[in-house]
Amino acid sequence: MADYELFELGDVRLQRGATIRNAILAYKTYGTLSKNKDNVIVYPTWYSGQHYDNEWLIGSGMALDPARYFVIIPNMLGNGLSSSPSNTPPPYDKSRFPNVTAYDNVKLQHRLVTEKFGIKTVKLVTGWSMGALQTFHWGCLFPDMVERILPFCGSAKCSRHNFVFLEGVKAALTADAAWNNGWYEKPPTKGLRAMARVYAGWGFSQAFYREQLDIKSLGYSSLEDFLVAFWEGFFLPKDANNLLTMLWTWQNGDISDNETFRGDLDKALGAIKAKAIVMPGQTDLYFPPEDSEYEVSKMPNAELRPMPSIWGHFAGGPGLNRTDVEFLDKALKKLLAS
Amino acid sequence: MADYELFELGDVRLQRGATIRNAILAYKTYGTLSKNKDNVIVYPTWYSGQHYDNEWLIGSGMALDPARYFVIIPNMLGNGLSSSPSNTPPPYDKSRFPNVTAYDNVKLQHRLVTEKFGIKTVKLVTGWSMGALQTFHWGCLFPDMVERILPFCGSAKCSRHNFVFLEGVKAALTADAAWNNGWYEKPPTKGLRAMARVYAGWGFSQAFYREQLDIKSLGYSSLEDFLVAFWEGFFLPKDANNLLTMLWTWQNGDISDNETFRGDLDKALGAIKAKAIVMPGQTDLYFPPEDSEYEVSKMPNAELRPMPSIWGHFAGGPGLNRTDVEFLDKALKKLLAS
């Protein structure tokens, strides 16, 4: 009774050399594709999120209104629904699942959009966090196809500081002996809980904790309750190898790391023809606005519009704070109307 | 051939109930105590630091000039030189070493200063990070004795966000099975390395990493070299139980958590008579300037003077960046001259 579809990709040669046999891309669509196929929005998922985790931004009366648009949410490789360590048969299972890049992800999403649906233009690509990374990729890899992009709380390239933050997350998870280099039978729960606690300080801003929004807005009964129920509860059900696969994708995210741009980030940013709003969170600790500012300075048709929020990275998702959702939704509406 | 002295405290009853038998306070002094005993500077240590780690701020021609002042550096309990899990005999050894507060530390430091040296006034208390926490304690617990304070990159009370950051550090260290609840024979090196990687993202700012100061200023050969040589190299030699003891001290740091102030932080801040400069780092990720701003607003005789630096928490120490050292030293000179 899955609520999503599978697109069978056959054997997929990845950017870093491995091949996934019988690769699958799990996706879900919302709304109806118009006769002219001109009402398409692509909305990739974020780190460990699955399609339903994106649904908070879709709805009647919202920018992403299924009555108007055909919204496609492709699940990221490694997220447990598309090809992942947890669902790939041997010999590429578990710890042997290959390194996949955001480039790989977006190339396969492009196949879904074109081969499955015969779509030639995309009205908008948008996404949060790693979804923003994929959004930037769409913009520079398919500049004549993508009309608009709105990446929020993310970047076109993983910054060095962001990389270091993720090193900490990874080190906490893999410090658990039960992880066993990925060959666990039972989940490395101690590592997953440790990873969650490391993430907790990064996900929300200093001001968020100062104002006790974990209690006063989100309704947790104490700080420790927030750490256990929200954070540990978030990571515990997830597969460690999947998490590490997506973490690698994140750390190695770079729109210029491919044959087209050969490491020239400015050139890749400059190749994005789409009308763009780049929306960092004002208090995001791992995607600080300064990085977005640089990106916008190199994009020909982009505007920087930071979210004035103290919700840190979670200003961008998954729909926790109504004010932030409204800010984002309003920008999406204006961008779609332009 | 130790370069420090031991002050024997006898049996010390701690704030939270336990007693350390034959407790010791390790300290080092610089310069000569004047006949009037009016040239005293107390300069407590920081998280895991030992007295020699403080020496970068002491020197001829600097504010803390041994030719002029008698500088006392007391080692924090748990730091491996003063009473610590690693040097206390059973039954209070290792994992059984009791919880000690910053209050405990400063009360014992006060005994050193008064009982050992017969000192009645202290010209200045200053310190970085947890040293700043102890500095605030000196100010409010001994308001008639302490003339000046300059806490830098620290706070009077551990903020909720800072607490969460430390939860991540702790979780990474203790995820290593070799830690064994503190009853290890061999060091839990995987946990210590994990802790180091978690810390790496917090210690320096996003801008520090963006500008590649790890390479261009500190001379490491790559980001990974910085993570291994600086960060893992920093924590690996340290004792895990000592680190956890000091971490508890930090997380529970609060100048008002005692019988005098009974949790009233504003009252405790208001009790600080000393002329004060409170100096946060402008880009410190776990002691953000906003918290210092609040503190200063409640202190009767304090000025806020943020360090304009992109070195994050390490703007304050241990002497890595000359510009920051000069900024701090200049403020110390002016404060001492006032």
Side-chain angles (χ1 to χ4, degrees):
Chain A
M1 297 295 288
D3 73 334
Y4 57 92
E5 315 280 326
L6 297 180
F7 182 55
E8 296 184 3
L9 297 155
D11 295 351
V12 169
R13 298 172 75 105
L14 297 169
Q15 200 185 8
R16 299 291 167 108
T19 293
I20 307 180
R21 273 81 186 172
N22 302 312
I24 49 169
L25 192 60
Y27 67 96
K28 185 170 178 180
T29 65
Y30 306 77
T32 309
L33 183 59
S34 63
K35 203 182 277 181
N36 299 334
K37 302 188 176 183
D38 61 356
N39 67 336
V40 177
I41 294 174
V42 178
Y43 178 22
T45 59
W46 36 275
Y47 183 63
S48 90
Q50 300 182 338
H51 56 275
Y52 51 86
D53 292 315
N54 270 10
E55 291 179 350
W56 57 273
L57 194 57
I58 301 173
S60 176
M62 298 184 77
L64 276 55
D65 191 334
R68 245 179 118 173
Y69 296 107
F70 183 60
V71 182
I72 305 171
I73 303 184
N75 284 275
M76 193 160 50
L77 294 166
N79 87 337
L81 296 182
S82 292
S83 288
S84 299
S86 63
N87 65 18
T88 297
Y92 269 124
D93 59 325
K94 297 181 177 174
S95 200
R96 277 286 183 277
F97 191 79
N99 293 333
V100 292
T101 61
Y103 177 91
D104 291 323
N105 271 286
V106 171
K107 282 286 195 181
L108 299 180
Q109 291 168 18
H110 180 259
R111 282 186 53 194
L112 169 70
V113 167
T114 53
E115 294 174 19
K116 169 78 186 176
F117 295 109
I119 292 163
K120 294 205 172 76
T121 61
V122 174
K123 213 163 192 71
L124 170 75
V125 185
T126 189
W128 178 44
S129 199
M130 284 187 81
L133 175 66
Q134 296 167 74
T135 298
F136 277 109
H137 276 79
W138 268 97
C140 76
L141 296 176
F142 307 106
D144 297 320
M145 181 177 187
V146 177
E147 296 175 351
R148 296 167 191 79
I149 61 171
L150 197 155
F152 50 102
C153 303
S155 67
K157 177 179 176 171
C158 183
S159 76
R160 296 173 89 245
H161 177 263
N162 195 321
F163 185 96
V164 172
F165 143 59
L166 293 170
E167 280 299 297
V169 170
K170 184 171 68 178
L173 172 54
T174 60
D176 183 354
W179 170 61
N180 193 29
N181 291 311
W183 304 109
Y184 47 85
E185 293 297 327
K186 291 180 187 173
T189 56
K190 203 189 286 184
L192 290 164
R193 287 180 194 271
M195 163 183 189
R197 286 197 178 235
V198 172
Y199 225 113
W202 289 110
F204 296 89
S205 77
Q206 299 96 341
F208 172 92
Y209 285 105
R210 188 183 302 121
E211 302 294 330
Q212 302 187 36
L213 297 187
D214 47 323
I215 296 172
K216 292 178 184 171
S217 177
L218 294 178
Y220 291 90
S221 53
S222 65
L223 183 55
E224 179 64 15
D225 184 47
F226 182 57
L227 294 177
V228 176
F230 181 93
W231 282 105
E232 297 188 4
F234 183 82
F235 282 111
L236 263 183
K238 300 183 193 284
D239 179 77
N241 286 320
N242 288 358
L243 289 168
L244 291 167
T245 289
M246 290 178 284
L247 193 145
W248 189 95
T249 304
W250 185 348
Q251 285 190 311
N252 292 275
D254 178 356
I255 57 168
S256 70
D257 186 12
N258 49 62
E259 291 194 350
T260 310
F261 301 110
R262 298 181 178 278
D264 187 338
L265 180 63
D266 290 359
K267 191 177 168 191
L269 289 166
I272 300 175
K273 291 183 183 173
K275 186 173 169 65
I277 296 174
V278 178
M279 189 176 284
Q282 195 65 61
T283 57
D284 193 325
L285 288 170
Y286 45 96
F287 290 110
E290 291 80 4
D291 293 331
S292 308
E293 201 176 324
Y294 180 80
E295 291 162 349
V296 166
S297 77
K298 300 297 174 188
M299 294 164 70
N301 197 12
E303 180 200 334
L304 180 74
R305 196 179 300 177
M307 302 183 90
S309 168
I310 63 168
W311 285 65
H313 187 61
F314 279 75
L320 298 182
N321 184 30
R322 178 173 296 271
T323 312
D324 295 333
V325 174
E326 284 169 1
F327 184 87
L328 172 60
D329 189 56
K330 198 174 154 187
L332 284 165
K333 276 179 179 149
K334 284 211 171 177
L335 184 61
L336 279 167
S338 68
Chain B
M1 296 294 289
D3 73 333
Y4 56 93
E5 315 281 325
L6 297 179
F7 181 56
E8 297 184 1
L9 297 155
D11 295 351
V12 169
R13 299 173 73 106
L14 297 169
Q15 199 184 9
R16 299 291 166 108
T19 294
I20 307 179
R21 273 80 185 173
N22 301 312
I24 50 168
L25 193 59
Y27 66 97
K28 186 170 178 181
T29 66
Y30 305 77
T32 310
L33 185 58
S34 63
K35 201 182 278 180
N36 298 334
K37 303 189 177 184
D38 62 356
N39 67 337
V40 176
I41 294 174
V42 178
Y43 178 21
T45 58
W46 37 274
Y47 183 63
S48 89
Q50 300 182 338
H51 56 275
Y52 51 86
D53 293 314
N54 271 10
E55 291 179 350
W56 56 274
L57 194 57
I58 301 173
S60 177
M62 298 185 76
L64 275 56
D65 190 335
R68 245 179 119 173
Y69 296 107
F70 183 59
V71 182
I72 306 171
I73 302 184
N75 285 275
M76 192 159 51
L77 294 165
N79 87 338
L81 296 181
S82 291
S83 288
S84 300
S86 63
N87 64 18
T88 297
Y92 269 124
D93 59 325
K94 298 181 176 174
S95 199
R96 276 287 182 278
F97 190 78
N99 292 333
V100 293
T101 60
Y103 177 92
D104 291 323
N105 271 286
V106 171
K107 282 286 195 181
L108 299 180
Q109 291 167 19
H110 180 259
R111 282 186 53 195
L112 168 71
V113 167
T114 54
E115 294 175 20
K116 169 78 187 177
F117 295 108
I119 291 163
K120 295 206 171 71
T121 62
V122 174
K123 212 162 193 74
L124 169 75
V125 185
T126 190
W128 178 45
S129 198
M130 284 187 80
L133 174 67
Q134 296 166 74
T135 299
F136 277 109
H137 276 80
W138 268 97
C140 76
L141 295 176
F142 307 106
D144 297 321
M145 182 176 188
V146 177
E147 296 175 353
R148 295 166 193 80
I149 62 171
L150 197 155
F152 51 101
C153 303
S155 68
K157 177 178 176 173
C158 183
S159 77
R160 296 174 89 246
H161 177 263
N162 195 322
F163 185 96
V164 173
F165 143 60
L166 293 169
E167 280 299 298
V169 170
K170 184 171 68 178
L173 173 54
T174 59
D176 184 353
W179 171 60
N180 194 28
N181 292 311
W183 303 108
Y184 48 84
E185 293 298 327
K186 292 179 186 174
T189 56
K190 202 188 289 184
L192 290 163
R193 288 181 193 270
M195 165 184 187
R197 288 201 175 231
V198 173
Y199 225 114
W202 289 109
F204 295 90
S205 77
Q206 298 96 341
F208 172 92
Y209 285 105
R210 189 183 302 120
E211 302 294 329
Q212 301 188 38
L213 297 186
D214 47 322
I215 296 173
K216 292 179 183 169
S217 178
L218 294 178
Y220 292 90
S221 54
S222 65
L223 183 55
E224 179 64 15
D225 184 47
F226 182 57
L227 294 177
V228 175
F230 181 92
W231 281 106
E232 297 187 4
F234 183 81
F235 282 111
L236 264 182
K238 301 183 193 282
D239 179 78
N241 287 321
N242 288 359
L243 289 168
L244 290 167
T245 289
M246 289 179 285
L247 193 146
W248 189 95
T249 304
W250 184 349
Q251 284 191 310
N252 292 276
D254 177 356
I255 57 168
S256 70
D257 186 13
N258 48 62
E259 290 194 350
T260 310
F261 301 110
R262 298 181 177 277
D264 188 338
L265 180 62
D266 290 358
K267 191 177 169 190
L269 288 166
I272 300 173
K273 290 183 183 173
K275 186 173 168 66
I277 295 175
V278 177
M279 189 176 285
Q282 195 65 61
T283 57
D284 193 325
L285 288 170
Y286 44 97
F287 290 110
E290 290 79 3
D291 293 333
S292 307
E293 200 175 323
Y294 180 81
E295 291 162 349
V296 166
S297 76
K298 301 296 174 187
M299 294 164 70
N301 198 12
E303 180 200 333
L304 180 74
R305 197 179 301 178
M307 303 182 90
S309 168
I310 63 167
W311 284 65
H313 186 61
F314 280 74
L320 298 183
N321 184 30
R322 177 174 296 273
T323 312
D324 295 333
V325 174
E326 283 169 1
F327 184 88
L328 171 60
D329 189 56
K330 197 174 155 190
L332 284 165
K333 276 179 178 148
K334 284 212 168 174
L335 184 62
L336 280 166
S338 68

